[in-house]
Amino acid sequence: MAEEAAVRAQAEVVRRLKHDKADPDEIAKEVAKLLEMKAQLGGDEGKHKFVLKTPKGTRDYSPKQMAIRERVFNAIISCFKRHGAEVIDTPVFELKETLTGKYGEDSKLIYDLKDQGGELLSLRYDLTVPFARYLAMNKITNIKRYHIAKVYRRDNPAMTRGRYREFYQCDFDIAGQFDPMIPDAECLKIVHEILTDLQLGDFLIKVNDRRILDGMFAVCGVPDSKFRTICSSVDKLDKVPWEEVRSEMVGEKGLSPEAADHIGEYVQLHGGLELIERLLQDPKLSQNKLAKEGLGDMKLLFEYLTLFGITGEISFDLSLARGLDYYTGVIFEAVLLQQENDHVEEPVSVGSVAGGGRYDGLVGMFDPKGRKVPCVGVSIGIERIFSILEQRVEASEEKIRTTETQVLVASAQKKLLEERLKLIAELWDAGIKAEVLYKKNPKLLNQLQYCEDTGIPLVAIVGEQELKDGVVKLRVVATREEVNVRRESLVEEIRIRTSRP
Amino acid sequence: MAEEAAVRAQAEVVRRLKHDKADPDEIAKEVAKLLEMKAQLGGDEGKHKFVLKTPKGTRDYSPKQMAIRERVFNAIISCFKRHGAEVIDTPVFELKETLTGKYGEDSKLIYDLKDQGGELLSLRYDLTVPFARYLAMNKITNIKRYHIAKVYRRDNPAMTRGRYREFYQCDFDIAGQFDPMIPDAECLKIVHEILTDLQLGDFLIKVNDRRILDGMFAVCGVPDSKFRTICSSVDKLDKVPWEEVRSEMVGEKGLSPEAADHIGEYVQLHGGLELIERLLQDPKLSQNKLAKEGLGDMKLLFEYLTLFGITGEISFDLSLARGLDYYTGVIFEAVLLQQENDHVEEPVSVGSVAGGGRYDGLVGMFDPKGRKVPCVGVSIGIERIFSILEQRVEASEEKIRTTETQVLVASAQKKLLEERLKLIAELWDAGIKAEVLYKKNPKLLNQLQYCEDTGIPLVAIVGEQELKDGVVKLRVVATREEVNVRRESLVEEIRIRTSRP
């Protein structure tokens, strides 16, 4: 594209300008030349000078979408605060080497910044690695924090399913050396509270443990070197049937058919405390040190979850195997269940909305002396939740307000702009949310229509008679009721009429 | 650095893997080889494997800093909502060409992303250009919105003065065809409200108009081609004395000494309505069409500001010339004034904390048919404000809470973890903000100390006697007062005792 050539030429000029000590007039001339070049190119291609879009895999949020987003964030932040979390923030990019070696095969999805002279930088891929870097850098060994921010992945997004290249993560993590499984249980309680609070329908939180998985692979005869790759095959079981996963293991990954079949028996198991007890008696698993440790902790976890009263929505599931390299203990993932109906026998999962686990080694990777800080955390998959709620709002024809304006300051006659401005300044200064149309002489009908359109509940009308009488006419948009209010009582009257019960 | 070589080698492998259809075992082998290579390098360089820092010009926010940040954001968002603004969000990066040609000399400060195959992308430099792109793309001709997000500039940051390469902007803009100066006046009212609300001390909002500046340059004999570069010299007047600016104009930029001296007379003028009236009679300026238009609107603006009651902190200042290319009408900038003391005659400005202006041409640059949408907006310089408030908190020894926890669930004896967990789940489910120490048998003293350290006001203590009696001992941390509360009344009791008056 010719346009791109101009962009590149400009980049070239900028680079030269940066390195030479150019004088300002030179710069001005160069820039003028480029702008001209650009204008000409625009001319060649007709009037459409720009590709008017957001980058692939990203989107703008409209005011209506933002209103939904705010609701969801409020529910999540309330929950995090209810559990005593502090909040931190980190930069959107990190030194490239901070991210290197943390994400296994997914490293290819990291966005790098251009080398413009200086450090090599990459956009963050998640909030967990920056958190670990933050802990190591500040020698923090003990913190409970949340962090809500955007992360970046050069994925091939299926945007209809709520997947993007830029998306929010809402993370809650507990770092520190504590007695086993108490923080882990709290993370699951948090997921349960948030999904209940958001009323997304039935959900299930699947739980497993990396040590149980690794122990299982060992007793099934998977060679050590294949643990990770076989684990990533198991990870696909929520999307493809066992037969396909088995043939990937045996065909592509060279696992023996016997080992695969053995795995196949284990990964279909799911249940609660009884299953854990049974596996603790399993002749093979009980002989494996890792598996035994994992099962012991899983039992403790389920005891705590029973005290929290949430085991009804939690399933110990041996097929759960989250992809990330850094997990070391318990792992979990929450899925929404399709609404049951007459045609479906068992509820079907429609996608993951939260996930997390324990990662006891990650902070040590950053510490100069390798000191470990045990961590467990959860990440809420907010984009999927937005999509669901957005669709629901669309379907319900619920009218979502995008502002919180309590009152429109209006006038019934001409030449009252000054009076409207004086009144609205009084209201603003008293903390009332108020608007005024930016017209010298708006028609009353248009002002009322504006309230209808945007959901403003009250109109404060100034007219010549009202000014003489020292009153303001307050109109309730919904009922068309009108009442004269003394000017000095107006603020109080608006407050009473717009306070939520 | 050897480390960098490994990183580059890895990037190379990833690139190859991306383009070929590599099989998973190949990938695993390659990655293993690289990790080994990395480990060896680490060995060569001793135990310090990573540079533990955030990228140049960026910083993390600690929980304490976030608590201050939240206060400031709340004040700003309240004000924006009070004025009826909707909220939008846009991606952190834009197509590179979206930003091209919008920032004049500052374009060299834009962060570009690496070309990883796909679109050429840049991090946003401000929120105004993405806003204009959003309006044009969605054919919106009428909106009042705010947007709070981080922007990126490859500046050489003076971080002690609150300048960073990654920093927040808080923007409020009004787009649409309206009667003159009403939205412009509201923007200034907003700056006034926010700075008053934040109690940052005395401030001054300087106002000027691009048309008055251009008219002034014309009547002073500046050639058209030098308007922009002379304007950027004038822009420096808040930092360097006139003599230096004059010598830059005459020496570096080749302006005639007479023209420079003529400008020098104008730019020392500042005042209110009387100054505007005087300049409207100025024999030269009044003959210039642009200047006359600008002065006429300035007069109208000051009339509205008088109705808003805020002219005391506003100064029409002919030396104000904001750097950005896209302004077309009124421009303004708010500065904090140094606290007066006996040694200083006149208050001195210590830095800009807000700025903005009218940009009627920007949206048209994005519209395929060049349709214009007039806009005016303000940007709050939040980082400077953070720095000031942070310093103030440090100096005052004010203790800032970083959590909102209302109650710690504690026990006086051993073996009561289960009872603590049962009680805290009840509290969480009732919406109480509660914490528990993650220990099986914590000492009561340690639990009370935790409350002292983190500012938790209440402790709910379970013990064997209390369990038998169906009560919980509620302790007020500040007074050490203890009272037995029936378990079913506990939630209500905590609510009453922690509700703010």
Side-chain angles (χ1 to χ4, degrees):
Chain A
M1 236 179 91
E3 185 84 24
E4 269 181 30
V7 170
R8 257 182 248 119
Q10 168 151 16
E12 179 54 36
V13 171
V14 167
R15 203 171 313 129
R16 265 194 292 135
L17 289 174
K18 215 183 59 187
H19 292 291
D20 310 336
K21 267 228 151 187
D23 85 327
D25 259 352
E26 265 311 296
I27 297 181
K29 251 186 271 170
E30 291 270 19
V31 169
K33 216 189 295 168
L34 275 163
L35 286 176
E36 203 182 70
M37 194 169 155
K38 222 170 144 2
Q40 283 173 355
L41 280 168
D44 287 351
E45 298 185 357
K47 277 182 179 166
H48 188 75
K49 295 185 198 172
F50 295 92
V51 181
L52 258 184
K53 64 186 284 292
T54 61
K56 185 181 173 190
T58 68
R59 59 168 168 175
D60 298 317
Y61 281 83
S62 71
K64 206 168 142 190
Q65 291 168 319
M66 287 298 281
I68 298 171
R69 191 170 111 174
E70 245 182 65
R71 272 193 209 173
V72 179
F73 277 159
N74 284 342
I76 292 172
I77 292 172
S78 297
C79 178
F80 291 164
K81 287 190 171 174
R82 193 157 60 237
H83 287 258
E86 303 182 284
V87 55
I88 70 161
D89 194 18
T90 65
V92 80
F93 43 63
E94 295 278 344
L95 297 185
K96 186 176 167 55
E97 61 181 306
T98 299
L99 306 191
T100 303
K102 308 299 184 304
Y103 302 107
E105 296 176 19
D106 286 347
S107 295
K108 61 180 183 292
L109 303 181
I110 293 173
Y111 277 98
D112 292 331
L113 268 72
K114 194 166 155 184
D115 182 358
Q116 292 171 292
E119 299 159 327
L120 293 178
L121 306 174
S122 301
L123 297 185
R124 61 182 163 214
Y125 180 86
D126 64 11
L127 302 177
T128 310
V129 167
F131 175 55
R133 192 265 306 146
Y134 174 81
L135 294 188
M137 188 173 136
N138 296 287
K139 297 190 175 50
I140 295 166
T141 55
N142 195 329
I143 192 173
K144 174 163 60 181
R145 79 91 182 81
Y146 72 91
H147 187 188
I148 295 182
K150 288 176 178 174
V151 301
Y152 299 87
R153 300 184 183 178
R154 299 180 61 254
D155 225 328
N156 275 323
M159 277 176 292
T160 45
R161 290 169 50 225
R163 287 178 75 98
Y164 291 88
R165 289 182 161 200
E166 172 186 63
F167 58 96
Y168 267 97
Q169 282 198 337
C170 302
D171 281 20
F172 171 97
D173 293 80
I174 301 171
Q177 189 70 58
F178 300 116
D179 281 330
M181 307 316 283
I182 314 178
D184 312 60
E186 184 169 6
C187 286
L188 291 170
K189 177 79 170 87
I190 282 174
V191 175
H192 194 278
E193 282 179 28
I194 289 173
L195 294 182
T196 305
D197 197 16
L198 288 173
Q199 300 182 293
L200 297 167
D202 291 340
F203 61 87
L204 185 70
I205 309 175
K206 299 180 191 173
V207 185
N208 199 359
D209 192 297
R210 266 289 159 89
R211 293 165 297 173
I212 299 176
L213 277 169
D214 284 353
M216 175 183 89
F217 292 143
V219 304
C220 291
V222 178
D224 282 17
S225 64
K226 287 201 203 292
F227 273 22
R228 282 286 147 275
T229 184
I230 292 301
C231 190
S232 80
S233 295
V234 171
D235 196 27
K236 294 173 186 163
L237 273 174
D238 56 339
K239 281 166 210 122
V240 298
W242 165 249
E243 276 315 313
E244 253 175 72
V245 170
R246 184 187 182 280
S247 87
E248 180 183 298
M249 287 177 176
V250 176
E252 288 175 45
K253 302 190 173 174
L255 192 66
S256 74
E258 298 73 34
D261 290 337
H262 204 152
I263 293 173
E265 283 165 35
Y266 280 120
V267 293
Q268 62 182 314
L269 301 174
H270 51 90
L273 262 177
E274 341 73 65
L275 176 61
I276 301 169
E277 298 284 9
R278 212 172 78 214
L279 290 178
L280 274 169
Q281 309 303 323
D282 182 278
K284 283 178 191 150
L285 276 185
S286 62
Q287 298 308 309
N288 182 283
K289 189 171 165 287
L290 273 178
K292 221 176 134 188
E293 261 180 47
L295 286 165
D297 276 350
M298 190 60 69
K299 190 178 163 194
L300 196 55
L301 178 67
F302 266 77
E303 284 164 12
Y304 296 155
L305 300 178
T306 307
L307 293 168
F308 287 163
I310 59 173
T311 44
E313 289 76 30
I314 296 189
S315 166
F316 169 44
D317 188 324
L318 278 97
S319 74
L320 178 71
R322 289 171 59 74
L324 292 172
D325 271 9
Y326 49 62
Y327 289 121
T328 54
V330 65
I331 49 177
F332 52 88
E333 197 165 290
V335 292
L336 298 183
L337 304 175
Q338 220 154 40
Q339 299 305 74
E340 293 179 61
N341 63 36
D342 297 342
H343 307 288
V344 184
E345 287 283 295
E346 220 181 323
V348 188
S349 125
V350 292
S352 155
V353 288
R358 176 163 284 282
Y359 50 102
D360 288 348
L362 192 58
V363 179
M365 288 176 76
F366 289 105
D367 188 274
K369 292 184 182 153
R371 279 168 298 210
K372 288 192 175 181
V373 178
C375 295
V376 62
V378 51
S379 187
I380 308 293
I382 197 79
E383 304 291 342
R384 186 77 55 93
I385 295 172
F386 287 149
S387 297
I388 293 167
L389 292 179
E390 241 184 281
Q391 281 170 23
R392 195 178 291 176
V393 167
E394 291 297 330
S396 75
E397 293 179 25
E398 180 195 351
K399 228 183 165 181
I400 290 213
R401 280 199 74 182
T402 55
T403 68
E404 298 175 8
T405 309
Q406 297 164 289
V407 61
L408 182 80
V409 174
S411 56
Q413 296 113 6
K414 291 193 171 183
K415 296 196 182 168
L416 286 169
L417 173 62
E418 284 75 10
E419 292 299 335
R420 280 191 289 140
L421 293 184
K422 247 163 78 177
L423 178 58
I424 199 169
E426 285 174 28
L427 295 179
W428 285 331
D429 292 342
I432 299 292
K433 293 168 190 150
E435 287 185 72
V436 65
L437 293 200
Y438 303 126
K439 277 182 152 274
K440 276 184 92 97
N441 298 309
K443 290 186 181 132
L444 185 58
L445 207 65
N446 291 346
Q447 297 175 85
L448 297 178
Q449 188 59 47
Y450 183 77
C451 294
E452 296 275 1
D453 293 344
T454 59
I456 299 175
L458 298 172
V459 195
I461 305 172
V462 285
E464 274 157 30
Q465 191 55 49
E466 286 85 2
L467 285 169
K468 268 186 215 138
D469 299 346
V471 299
V472 172
K473 196 186 292 291
L474 197 61
R475 179 183 169 114
V476 181
V477 176
T479 62
R480 299 181 185 189
E481 170 205 352
E482 289 189 347
V483 51
N484 279 343
V485 178
R486 293 213 58 78
R487 188 142 174 161
E488 56 272 24
S489 318
L490 182 62
V491 166
E492 190 51 28
E493 188 66 29
I494 293 172
R495 271 201 200 121
I496 291 167
R497 285 174 179 266
T498 54
S499 71
R500 300 232 173 98
Chain B
M1 239 177 88
E3 185 83 24
E4 269 180 31
V7 170
R8 257 183 249 121
Q10 169 152 15
E12 178 54 35
V13 171
V14 167
R15 202 172 314 128
R16 265 194 292 135
L17 289 174
K18 216 181 60 189
H19 291 293
D20 310 338
K21 266 229 153 188
D23 85 326
D25 259 353
E26 265 312 295
I27 296 180
K29 254 187 270 170
E30 292 270 18
V31 168
K33 216 187 298 169
L34 276 164
L35 286 176
E36 201 181 71
M37 194 168 157
K38 221 170 142 4
Q40 283 174 355
L41 281 169
D44 286 351
E45 297 184 358
K47 278 182 180 164
H48 188 75
K49 296 187 197 170
F50 294 93
V51 181
L52 258 184
K53 65 185 284 290
T54 61
K56 185 180 173 190
T58 68
R59 59 167 167 175
D60 297 317
Y61 280 84
S62 70
K64 205 168 144 189
Q65 290 169 319
M66 288 298 281
I68 298 171
R69 193 171 109 174
E70 245 183 65
R71 273 193 208 172
V72 178
F73 277 159
N74 284 343
I76 292 172
I77 292 172
S78 297
C79 177
F80 291 163
K81 287 190 171 175
R82 194 157 60 236
H83 287 260
E86 304 182 283
V87 55
I88 70 160
D89 194 18
T90 65
V92 80
F93 43 62
E94 295 277 344
L95 297 185
K96 185 176 167 56
E97 60 181 306
T98 299
L99 306 190
T100 302
K102 309 297 185 305
Y103 301 107
E105 296 177 19
D106 286 347
S107 295
K108 62 179 182 295
L109 302 181
I110 293 173
Y111 277 97
D112 292 330
L113 269 73
K114 194 165 153 186
D115 183 358
Q116 291 170 292
E119 300 159 327
L120 293 176
L121 307 175
S122 301
L123 297 185
R124 62 183 162 212
Y125 180 86
D126 65 10
L127 302 177
T128 310
V129 167
F131 174 55
R133 192 264 308 146
Y134 173 81
L135 295 187
M137 189 172 135
N138 297 288
K139 299 192 172 51
I140 295 166
T141 55
N142 195 331
I143 192 173
K144 174 164 57 180
R145 80 88 182 84
Y146 71 91
H147 188 186
I148 296 183
K150 289 175 176 175
V151 302
Y152 300 86
R153 301 184 183 178
R154 299 180 60 254
D155 224 328
N156 275 323
M159 277 177 291
T160 46
R161 289 170 52 224
R163 286 178 76 98
Y164 291 88
R165 288 182 162 200
E166 172 185 62
F167 58 97
Y168 268 97
Q169 283 199 336
C170 302
D171 280 21
F172 171 98
D173 293 81
I174 300 171
Q177 189 70 58
F178 301 116
D179 281 331
M181 306 317 281
I182 314 177
D184 311 63
E186 184 169 8
C187 287
L188 292 169
K189 177 81 170 84
I190 282 174
V191 176
H192 195 277
E193 282 179 28
I194 289 173
L195 294 181
T196 304
D197 198 15
L198 288 174
Q199 298 183 293
L200 296 167
D202 290 340
F203 61 88
L204 185 71
I205 309 175
K206 299 180 191 174
V207 185
N208 199 359
D209 192 297
R210 265 287 159 90
R211 292 166 298 174
I212 300 176
L213 277 169
D214 284 352
M216 175 183 89
F217 293 143
V219 304
C220 292
V222 179
D224 281 17
S225 64
K226 287 201 203 295
F227 273 22
R228 281 288 148 272
T229 183
I230 293 300
C231 189
S232 80
S233 296
V234 171
D235 195 28
K236 296 174 185 162
L237 274 174
D238 56 339
K239 280 166 209 122
V240 297
W242 164 248
E243 276 315 312
E244 255 176 70
V245 171
R246 183 186 182 279
S247 87
E248 179 182 298
M249 286 176 175
V250 177
E252 289 175 44
K253 302 192 173 174
L255 192 66
S256 75
E258 299 72 35
D261 291 336
H262 204 152
I263 292 172
E265 284 164 36
Y266 280 119
V267 294
Q268 63 183 311
L269 300 176
H270 52 91
L273 261 177
E274 341 71 66
L275 175 62
I276 300 168
E277 297 284 8
R278 213 172 77 212
L279 291 177
L280 274 168
Q281 308 303 324
D282 182 278
K284 283 178 191 154
L285 276 184
S286 61
Q287 297 308 307
N288 180 284
K289 189 171 165 287
L290 272 178
K292 221 176 135 188
E293 261 180 46
L295 287 164
D297 276 349
M298 190 60 69
K299 190 178 162 195
L300 196 54
L301 178 67
F302 267 77
E303 284 165 9
Y304 295 154
L305 299 179
T306 308
L307 293 167
F308 287 162
I310 58 172
T311 44
E313 289 75 30
I314 295 187
S315 166
F316 169 45
D317 188 324
L318 278 97
S319 74
L320 178 72
R322 290 172 58 75
L324 292 173
D325 271 9
Y326 49 63
Y327 289 120
T328 55
V330 64
I331 49 178
F332 52 87
E333 198 165 290
V335 292
L336 298 182
L337 304 175
Q338 219 153 40
Q339 299 305 74
E340 291 179 65
N341 62 35
D342 297 340
H343 308 289
V344 183
E345 288 283 294
E346 218 179 327
V348 188
S349 124
V350 291
S352 156
V353 288
R358 176 163 284 284
Y359 50 102
D360 288 347
L362 192 58
V363 178
M365 288 175 78
F366 289 104
D367 188 274
K369 293 184 180 155
R371 278 168 299 209
K372 288 191 175 181
V373 178
C375 295
V376 62
V378 52
S379 187
I380 309 292
I382 198 79
E383 304 290 341
R384 187 76 55 93
I385 295 172
F386 287 149
S387 296
I388 293 166
L389 292 179
E390 242 184 280
Q391 282 168 24
R392 195 177 291 174
V393 167
E394 292 296 330
S396 75
E397 292 177 25
E398 180 195 350
K399 229 184 165 181
I400 290 213
R401 280 200 73 183
T402 55
T403 67
E404 297 175 9
T405 308
Q406 297 164 291
V407 61
L408 182 79
V409 174
S411 56
Q413 296 113 5
K414 290 193 172 184
K415 297 198 182 166
L416 287 169
L417 173 62
E418 283 75 10
E419 291 300 335
R420 282 191 288 139
L421 294 184
K422 245 163 80 177
L423 179 58
I424 200 169
E426 286 174 26
L427 296 178
W428 284 332
D429 292 342
I432 299 291
K433 293 168 191 150
E435 286 185 72
V436 66
L437 293 200
Y438 303 126
K439 278 182 152 275
K440 276 183 92 95
N441 298 308
K443 290 187 181 133
L444 185 59
L445 207 67
N446 291 345
Q447 297 175 83
L448 297 178
Q449 188 59 47
Y450 183 77
C451 294
E452 297 275 2
D453 293 345
T454 60
I456 299 175
L458 297 173
V459 195
I461 304 172
V462 284
E464 274 158 28
Q465 191 57 49
E466 286 85 2
L467 286 169
K468 268 188 215 135
D469 299 347
V471 299
V472 172
K473 197 188 288 291
L474 197 62
R475 179 184 169 113
V476 181
V477 176
T479 61
R480 299 180 184 187
E481 172 204 349
E482 288 188 346
V483 52
N484 279 343
V485 178
R486 293 214 56 78
R487 188 140 173 162
E488 58 271 23
S489 318
L490 181 63
V491 167
E492 191 51 28
E493 188 66 29
I494 294 171
R495 270 200 201 123
I496 291 167
R497 284 174 180 267
T498 53
S499 72
R500 299 235 173 95

